[in-house]
Amino acid sequence: LIGRLMFELPEEMGLIAIAVRQTQGKGRGGNVWLSPVGCALSTLHITIPLHSNLGQRIPFVQHLVSLAVVESVRSIPGYEEIDLRVKWPNDIYYSDLMKLGGVLVNSTLIETTFHILVGFGFNVNNSNPTICINDLITKFNKEEGTKLKALTADCLIARTVTVLERLIDIFQEKGPNGVLPSYYKYWVHSGKQVRLRDEEGPIAWIVGIDDYGFLQVHEEGKGVESVHPDGNSFDMLRNLIVPK
């Protein structure tokens, strides 16, 4: 529906589709995305000029959306310590323990404008099949003696889109360095180890992400290199390879 409409509307008009439940949700590499009632599910259309900071670094869009989802909760007064985090390249996590959301970005370049469809889904109010944001809030209230209210999917979709607009503006003005401090504040990877090429490959330590959104790792004796996943495995941090 969005794919058909996005070229017919005026460029200044925003477009978003929101679902209460999806029956044919899709993840990376053709994976099925489970979408029970209680999740925040939407597809957002945005346009990015090719000759702009973000237009030259389109892989960063998925990182900005992941950050926007996390900040949609953690920027609410009182909710700053809810342990919602980002996992490169496109997952939303509870701490570094459990996935509760993800982002899927498809882009089409028409002349000098990227038309981008951003699909994001995250579990707000359904304890199955994994964990949800309101479970984290309940846990936090018990541990800290607070009385934070449960959040709703529509509130968090609205906040995510609002935060994303702000992050895009910052990126367009300042480039990656304008948003990376916030991204690193919430990501799960600091100091973590990964294997390169295969299960028995050399060990490397995650350093950060480069100017184009690829993961940077430090392999002992070889310095810092940028890597990307080898195919679309379920775990995006297995068998990382160095691009030629």
Side-chain angles (χ1 to χ4, degrees), residues 71-180:
E71 285 200 345
S72 75
V73 176
R74 299 189 67 166
S75 63
I76 303 173
Y79 293 74
E80 296 91 346
E81 300 304 317
I82 301 300
D83 201 3
L84 201 61
R85 296 186 176 272
V86 293
K87 181 184 179 214
W88 183 90
N90 62 343
D91 288 337
I92 317 300
Y93 258 61
Y94 156 49
S95 184
D96 60 352
L97 300 173
M98 198 175 297
K99 179 175 177 175
L100 52 69
V103 175
L104 193 64
V105 174
N106 290 306
S107 61
T108 304
L109 181 62
I110 306 293
E111 295 179 348
T112 59
T113 301
F114 278 107
H115 288 263
I116 299 175
L117 291 181
V118 176
F120 60 88
F122 53 97
N123 198 347
V124 179
N125 196 36
N126 188 318
S127 298
N128 293 308
T130 54
I131 196 169
C132 68
I133 288 170
N134 285 336
D135 286 342
L136 305 187
I137 294 170
T138 299
K139 179 175 180 288
F140 185 81
N141 283 337
K142 285 181 180 177
E143 291 174 353
E144 303 296 327
T146 49
K147 295 183 179 179
L148 299 178
K149 292 182 179 178
L151 300 173
T152 62
D154 52 355
C155 164
L156 292 183
I157 289 171
R159 289 185 63 87
T160 296
V161 173
T162 301
V163 172
L164 179 60
E165 284 186 322
R166 176 176 58 80
L167 291 173
I168 289 173
D169 287 344
I170 293 170
F171 196 102
Q172 295 291 41
E173 181 185 348
K174 300 180 179 178
N177 290 337
V179 298
L180 282 178

